[in-house]
Amino acid sequence: MTIRVLHVASELYPLLKTGGLADVTAALPAALIELGADARVLLPGFAGVAAGLADLRPIARLERSFGVNEATLELGRLPGNDLPVYMIRADAFYARPGSPYLDEEHVPYGDNAQRFALLGWAAAQLAQHLDPAWAPHIVHAHDWHAGLALAYLRAATRERGRAVARGVFTIHNLAYQGIFPAQQFGELGLPADFFDMHGIEFYGQLSFLKAGLYYADKITTVSPTYAREIQTVAQGGGLEALLKGRAHDLVGILNGVDYNVWSPANDEAIAARYSVTRMSGKLRCKAALQQRFNLTQKHDAPVFGVVSRLTEQKGLDLLLAALPEIVARGGQLVVLGTGDASLEAGFARAARQHPDAVAVELGFDETLAHEIVAGSDVIMVPSRFEPCGLTQLYALAYGALPLVHRVGGLADTVTDASLENLADGTATGLVFERFEPDALTAAIRRAFALYARSRDWRETRARGMREDFGWAASAQRYLALYRELV
Ligand code: ADP
Ligand code: GLC
């Protein structure tokens, strides 16, 4: 039987991306289709989405619109791979410039509950044949934006007395919970008893994330270690009891890399192409990066790169503290990121203090992200917590050693260059244990020490480049999960 699955999310690479979620929602459905599944995506019609989809045509008018004057469902396809994508056109909700979640003052839009309730409601309608030509067996909701889909699905199942579709919820990040005031519950049109501790109520408020977790038939998250971590008080965000209670329905499936987008051998965004057997192009990428940022042109100065959202999660305050170590030892640092004002200011200050050795670009720039990963010797991901993390996987593919905190998906994907791991031929990067500045500083010192032992460095780098984090294996696991449910 061909499994029909609808992925419900708010981002999709390359149309709209603020982080790794977009990479996953583009690559996973495509990988599922490769395996014979019939996968489609449902997204809000944000400006970039409406402008980027090809062959958009109306499918149905949406009866409920959560206060927006008009909402319709359209179907198009993603140029490039022809992935079928449903889009909710409700311009007053979604056609806003800038971030899909925040206004110009970086404050969440006041109507986010309604905007994302519409997304969830439309998903449940699709499961009830809103499109007469296609309905999913599985509704697969990603992160809090899509959490209500599973509540509406449960409500429909109860009303009809039989399952209209089964629900899977994937946690990409437990730190964003979609919390809204309890008064808004009435507007959602859900059964009154759903406002309950066993439901979408969360400490007197509404949580769209909790709705997803509570009403899902299966819960997944994006690495095995994070699946364990979120069942603890330290990392459960107040939801650890729920998650622990559902441990038998919770599984960690590692994200993959879309090597069509992230391969140094055929990446048009970088200065020169290279591969594990022909590495000279990487030196050209490094020189081009130093030149672009007016750093001292030194091929033997290790370049440390960062491509990241600048948020508390990413642990870059530690890097600011450890940065003198890089500069003092003759290394260089290139940072691309956007987010918290204090982190932006901190890195901008460091770049002013050390113009030859530290460079910062504040903003979101997909091409530059590729250039930095290709031109760097080390990519730093010192996150406080990290559900999976994709940048360290891209770093491995591009022969930049990931330097990571041992947490979440970082712990599952990088093997430390300890003496014994070097001797055993398993090292792929640098891993530090304690989330403290001196632990990061020590890891930076180890990076310099390894860099000076060029044979060990080259072997470690080559090992990382040969690793396969393609989507095939993970997509198989999702498919097996769907089959279990249908
Ligand atoms: P998260 O989803 O928590 O941000 P991931 O490591 O999973 O972390 O994914 C981050 C993705 O976003 C990667 O594709 C990375 O290249 C990209 N990215 C992050 N910040 C920027 C930026 N400022 N410019 C371009 N790409 C960025
Ligand atoms: C989240 C996480 C990140 C993960 C990404 C895709 O944004 O922070 O660790 O890789 O989602 O799953």
Side-chain angles (χ1 to χ4, degrees), residues 4-50:
R4 291 189 300 273
V5 54
L6 179 69
H7 287 268
V8 189
S10 60
E11 300 187 17
L12 183 71
Y13 172 85
L15 306 185
L16 179 73
K17 167 169 167 177
T18 69
L21 173 67
D23 292 355
V24 174
T25 56
L28 172 58
L32 287 165
I33 290 170
E34 288 267 301
L35 296 177
D38 182 355
R40 298 188 176 191
V41 179
L42 169 68
L43 293 173
F46 298 121
V49 174

Side-chain angles (χ1 to χ4, degrees), residues 20-21 24 172-173 222 255 309 313-314 386-390:
L21 173 67
V24 174
H172 294 266
N173 198 329
V222 288
N255 285 333
R309 293 183 295 114
Q313 170 186 349
K314 298 299 177 177
E386 195 61 75
C388 177
L390 292 169

Side-chain angles (χ1 to χ4, degrees), residues 171-441:
I171 305 165
H172 294 266
N173 198 329
L174 204 66
Y176 301 95
Q177 302 195 338
I179 305 272
F180 301 99
Q183 301 87 280
Q184 295 197 298
F185 181 74
E187 297 167 46
L188 302 180
L190 286 166
D193 62 298
F194 279 32
F195 185 76
D196 191 85
M197 193 176 107
H198 303 286
I200 89 166
E201 186 268 350
F202 186 58
Y203 294 102
Q205 296 184 290
L206 308 176
S207 164
F208 282 27
L209 177 72
K210 188 177 167 209
L213 299 176
Y214 188 81
Y215 293 108
D217 296 301
K218 291 280 182 193
I219 303 168
T220 78
T221 188
V222 288
S223 70
T225 294
Y226 193 60
R228 287 192 300 275
E229 289 169 346
I230 57 179
Q231 296 179 53
T232 66
V233 177
Q235 290 219 53
L239 291 160
E240 58 277 358
L242 189 167
L243 289 164
K244 225 178 151 117
R246 298 210 61 187
H248 54 291
D249 291 323
L250 168 63
V251 51
I253 303 177
L254 209 59
N255 285 333
V257 173
D258 184 345
Y259 290 116
N260 292 316
V261 181
W262 291 97
S263 285
N266 41 38
D267 187 335
E268 293 300 326
I270 61 180
R273 259 105 344 251
Y274 59 93
S275 65
V276 66
T277 49
R278 294 194 49 191
M279 286 299 284
S280 58
K282 185 161 177 79
L283 261 184
R284 306 231 322 260
C285 290
K286 178 168 172 176
L289 189 65
Q290 289 171 324
Q291 191 169 10
R292 184 193 190 284
F293 283 106
N294 287 319
L295 297 171
T296 309
Q297 292 276 331
K298 272 181 74 185
H299 71 88
D300 58 349
V303 171
F304 293 76
V306 171
V307 177
S308 185
R309 293 183 295 114
L310 301 183
T311 62
E312 156 126 1
Q313 170 186 349
K314 298 299 177 177
L316 295 166
D317 43 330
L318 273 201
L319 175 56
L320 278 174
L323 186 144
E325 190 70 27
I326 295 179
V327 177
R329 289 180 183 267
Q332 300 179 342
L333 174 67
V334 175
V335 178
L336 167 65
T338 171
D340 292 358
S342 65
L343 287 169
E344 290 194 352
F347 282 110
R349 196 178 318 115
R352 279 197 304 276
Q353 277 164 358
H354 311 283
D356 298 337
V358 178
V360 176
E361 176 98 359
L362 300 176
F364 196 94
D365 185 337
E366 189 74 31
T367 301
L368 184 55
H370 285 245
E371 290 170 346
I372 292 176
V373 177
S376 295
D377 296 298
V378 177
I379 289 289
M380 308 187 85
V381 196
S383 307
R384 277 190 170 72
F385 68 94
E386 195 61 75
C388 177
L390 292 169
T391 40
Q392 83 280 12
L393 300 180
Y394 301 155
L396 288 170
Y398 280 68
L401 265 54
L403 189 164
V404 305
H405 179 211
R406 191 192 296 285
V407 74
L410 301 172
D412 293 340
T413 55
V414 183
T415 305
D416 181 52
S418 62
L419 278 179
E420 60 276 25
N421 288 341
L422 284 170
D424 291 352
T426 56
T428 57
L430 296 138
V431 184
F432 65 96
E433 302 279 342
R434 281 174 301 112
F435 187 79
E436 279 161 31
D438 65 339
L440 175 56
T441 301

